Amino acid sequence: MPNAIVLGGTGLIGRAAALRLARAGWDVVVTGRDPRHVPAALTEAGVRFVASDRRDPAALAAVLGAGADLLVDACCFTADDARSLLPYLPGIGSAAMISSKAVYVDAQGRHINSPERPDFGGPVREDTATLEPAWDGRYRSRDGYGRNKVAAERVLLESGHLVSVLRASKVHGVGAALPREWHFVRRVLDGRRVVLFAHDGRGFDHPTAAANVAALVEAVGERPGSRVLNIADPDVPTGREIARAIAARLGHAWEEVLVPGDEPGRHPWDVVPGITLDLRAAEAIGYRPAGGYHDLIGPTIDAVAAHGLDAPWAAEAEDADVDYAAEDAYLARR
């Protein structure tokens, strides 16, 4: 039986990867800081949990020292994070580092977290230019996140070991710390009868189901290599289509109002020009999606709605996300 270690295995992507591998017959160990965050589904699937701090050298050595057929690092954010893996990669059959499309830049050097949206002119391939790397470890910022991811990628890709870098887009699934679907679910819970869409509802930003990241992780485990792979859903819905799916799932009806400009009506998928990832490289190594956005989003919508207005992430949402006064003022002027 092949064995896998998932660092950060209690997070959204880590738990999906662990569950997929366990159900496919892998012996899986996940790490995390708090056993209370281990979903029951992992335990029921036979996944073992080890309490471990990803940045504690002794703890990392204890987990990785014996090697593994597959290593999945779901919490590698900096060059130092990547360097800490290097002593153990000779004993790893295949490794997957979870990265992000935030590393990509367009011809003008704009990235997804820039003040002005990038324009890639079509599906983004893995050979698209990236940000310059940052080696300072300061990844908790809109500009620093992508730059530090680039640095981490380079350390691993230049190591000479079999490491696949998986660049995901807008990740979704049950267990997200701040589910983006909350934007529309909250409006349903608040009984809003009108929903506004900036940019005439044209915005889209390729979503990535955690279950689809897990499908690519399994393919990487079966076909080791050193490469960069985009990972996203097979479909690319607009924010307007996502809102419709959420309203339909929750049995809610509202009027759609298209706003020509960028306010009000912003939402998490309001990216214009929209962004689509090219998935042909992943498909070439055997990636087959678990499903499309509309196939997989139902349980997430149900889980988000079940939390109600006291959801743990409600306080983290920006005030502008629920600026109903601005929306109502626009409707009054219309």
Side-chain angles (χ1 to χ4, degrees), residues 187-212:
R187 282 160 171 73
V188 171
L189 297 179
D190 285 335
R192 301 289 289 181
R193 291 299 171 183
V194 178
V195 62
L196 282 66
F197 298 96
H199 298 111
D200 290 321
R202 295 178 290 117
F204 61 88
D205 193 3
H206 209 163
T208 303
N212 284 331

Side-chain angles (χ1 to χ4, degrees), residues 248-273:
R249 181 82 178 189
L250 299 179
H252 188 73
W254 48 28
E255 176 192 354
E256 295 180 353
V257 173
L258 305 184
V259 179
D262 60 0
E263 292 289 352
R266 296 294 299 272
H267 54 79
W269 300 270
D270 181 41
V271 178
V272 178

Side-chain angles (χ1 to χ4, degrees), residues 4 31 33 91 101 130 137 148 159 171 184 196 206 231 280 285:
T31 71
R33 295 182 180 181
K101 79 166 186 297
T130 65
N148 276 274
S159 70
V171 181
F184 294 119
L196 282 66
H206 209 163
I231 175 60
R280 287 175 294 179
I285 72 155

Side-chain angles (χ1 to χ4, degrees), residues 54-256:
R54 167 67 176 76
R55 293 190 171 130
D56 180 335
L60 194 64
V63 171
L64 299 181
D69 295 302
L70 173 64
L71 168 65
V72 182
D73 194 344
C75 47
C76 184
F77 297 101
T78 70
D80 283 345
D81 290 339
R83 291 189 190 103
S84 69
L85 299 179
L86 298 183
Y88 309 104
L89 291 181
I92 301 295
S94 179
M97 174 237 176
I98 307 302
S99 190
S100 167
K101 79 166 186 297
V103 304
Y104 290 123
V105 293
D106 69 3
Q108 284 70 47
R110 297 171 299 196
H111 54 93
I112 187 60
N113 290 322
S114 295
E116 184 180 355
R117 298 294 196 185
D119 184 356
F120 294 105
V124 183
R125 298 180 5 162
E126 289 85 350
D127 58 2
T128 300
T130 65
L131 288 158
E132 287 300 312
W135 308 94
D136 56 10
R138 299 175 182 174
Y139 68 94
R140 297 181 184 275
S141 70
R142 294 180 65 85
D143 191 56
Y145 178 77
R147 294 182 187 279
N148 276 274
K149 278 287 192 182
V150 172
E153 289 184 2
R154 291 194 181 181
V155 168
L156 294 173
L157 291 171
E158 294 172 3
S159 70
H161 297 289
L162 300 178
V163 179
S164 296
V165 169
L166 312 187
R167 292 175 177 163
S169 189
K170 271 188 160 52
V171 181
H172 62 92
V174 176
L178 182 57
R180 295 178 177 90
E181 287 74 18
W182 173 247
H183 177 90
F184 294 119
V185 171
R186 172 150 189 175
R187 282 160 171 73
V188 171
L189 297 179
D190 285 335
R192 301 289 289 181
R193 291 299 171 183
V194 178
V195 62
L196 282 66
F197 298 96
H199 298 111
D200 290 321
R202 295 178 290 117
F204 61 88
D205 193 3
H206 209 163
T208 303
N212 284 331
V213 181
L216 182 53
V217 164
E218 183 180 9
V220 165
E222 295 172 349
R223 300 168 184 82
S226 179
R227 60 220 163 182
V228 176
L229 301 168
N230 287 335
I231 175 60
D233 297 345
D235 50 345
V236 193
T238 63
R240 190 179 181 188
E241 291 169 334
I242 289 171
R244 289 176 178 174
I246 290 171
R249 181 82 178 189
L250 299 179
H252 188 73
W254 48 28
E255 176 192 354
E256 295 180 353

